[in-house]
Amino acid sequence: MIPDKLDAQQEIQIWDGEKITLVPHPPSFSSRSYACATLVHERRVHTYLGPSSSSNNNNNNNDDDRIRFERVEHVPLILIFGGKSNGYRNDLHAFEPEKRMMYPVESKGAPPTARYGMSCVTFRNNMYVFGGYDKDGFLCNDCFLFETASSTWNSFPLRGAVPPARLGHTAVMMGNNVMIIYGGKGEKNTTLQDMHGINLETGECHKYKYHHPAGSSPGPRQNHACVAINEDTMILIGGSTGAAGEVV
């Protein structure tokens, strides 16, 4: 049974279908709102030393001469970026569900400015972050790539019909390489109902013209949820129209 609510005072909570488990978090991870998170798999290589490669010298204990065996392990990680917590954040943390352990991620390069309300997805085991509202008071429509193999941030240039700046939107992966962005809060506090695609191989953007029977459109909304259930279908849930106290 799904619980009615989670304890808002705890940052990491796991529900396994029967009970909620609270997970300790490091001091570097403060309470926050409007962060984004996505699932990746870290490739870890474990090396083991075997017998000497020299068959004529059974007493050779030189590690440089011993056969090395490798075991590759793909560890699921949830990467958590940014958010709002007594100011804006642009830190990165990883949570290992199997070990129920959380820790800060050291990174190189130039990360996004501190912000909240952005979205993120995983593509080819890298994290892509789009949009949000940053520490300088700007709505953003930039995109950043975090390469998990090298732990490096890079700006990801967009071209074509780049989505307007926004926060509180959703993003999911559809097809083989497209990040789909829907709704959110735009300039002049406008609640948006547009849908855009970003090709994460080329950076090419386009705006969707979707068709729907009368009265079936999701309409303008922000702070909603969205999930892709296959390569060409997504489900959008809840959110706010932007009017005071109005949720859908």
Side-chain angles (χ1 to χ4, degrees):
M1 180 179 179
I2 299 177
D4 292 333
K5 64 179 181 178
L6 300 179
D7 184 352
Q9 301 304 313
Q10 298 290 337
E11 286 74 38
I12 301 296
Q13 304 179 52
I14 298 176
W15 179 60
D16 61 9
E18 296 182 354
K19 62 182 184 301
I20 296 174
T21 303
L22 306 181
V23 179
H25 56 86
S28 59
F29 189 79
S30 59
S31 300
R32 65 190 65 197
S33 59
Y34 299 105
C36 68
T38 190
L39 178 68
V40 302
H41 287 79
E42 184 178 58
R43 185 177 186 271
R44 297 180 182 176
V45 180
H46 304 275
T47 302
Y48 303 90
L49 295 178
S52 170
S53 60
S54 174
S55 59
N56 296 325
N57 187 358
N58 295 329
N59 295 321
N60 189 345
N61 293 320
N62 186 353
D63 284 351
D64 292 337
D65 195 41
R66 298 175 71 186
I67 299 174
R68 282 169 166 76
F69 299 91
E70 289 186 348
R71 178 172 64 85
V72 177
E73 182 181 25
H74 295 276
V75 180
L77 297 176
I78 297 175
L79 292 180
I80 305 165
F81 171 76
K84 189 175 182 180
S85 171
N86 296 321
Y88 300 164
R89 320 268 317 183
N90 69 343
D91 51 353
L92 184 66
H93 285 77
F95 175 66
E96 289 192 31
E98 294 180 353
K99 294 183 179 179
R100 301 197 173 187
M101 179 176 66
M102 187 178 186
Y103 47 86
V105 176
E106 294 184 2
S107 62
K108 300 175 289 186
T113 54
R115 62 185 65 190
Y116 73 95
M118 57 281 157
S119 62
C120 61
V121 298
T122 299
F123 176 61
R124 292 181 178 169
N125 213 42
N126 295 319
M127 180 171 70
Y128 290 77
V129 175
F130 174 82
Y133 188 85
D134 77 2
K135 65 180 180 63
D136 297 319
F138 292 106
L139 274 175
C140 304
N141 66 342
D142 49 4
C143 189
F144 288 82
L145 160 65
F146 179 73
E147 298 183 37
T148 57
S150 61
S151 197
T152 302
W153 284 103
N154 285 296
S155 174
F156 184 73
L158 303 179
R159 60 186 185 180
V162 177
R166 65 193 64 208
L167 78 156
H169 54 285
T170 52
V172 296
M173 286 299 300
M174 301 282 285
N176 295 324
N177 55 16
V178 180
M179 177 182 186
I180 301 293
I181 293 168
Y182 184 87
K185 184 177 180 180
E187 298 288 352
K188 299 181 180 180
N189 293 325
T190 302
T191 302
L192 305 171
Q193 61 177 331
D194 52 347
M195 187 164 69
H196 298 260
I198 300 175
N199 186 314
L200 295 183
E201 290 183 330
T202 65
E204 190 71 30
C205 305
H206 64 276
K207 182 177 180 180
Y208 284 95
K209 295 182 179 179
Y210 51 91
H211 304 280
H212 53 83
S216 66
S217 167
R221 62 183 66 200
Q222 56 182 281
N223 300 321
H224 49 286
C226 189
V227 62
I229 59 174
N230 54 43
E231 290 189 354
D232 57 11
T233 304
M234 68 182 190
I235 296 177
L236 192 149
I237 307 167
S240 167
T241 63
E246 184 175 357
V247 295
V248 290

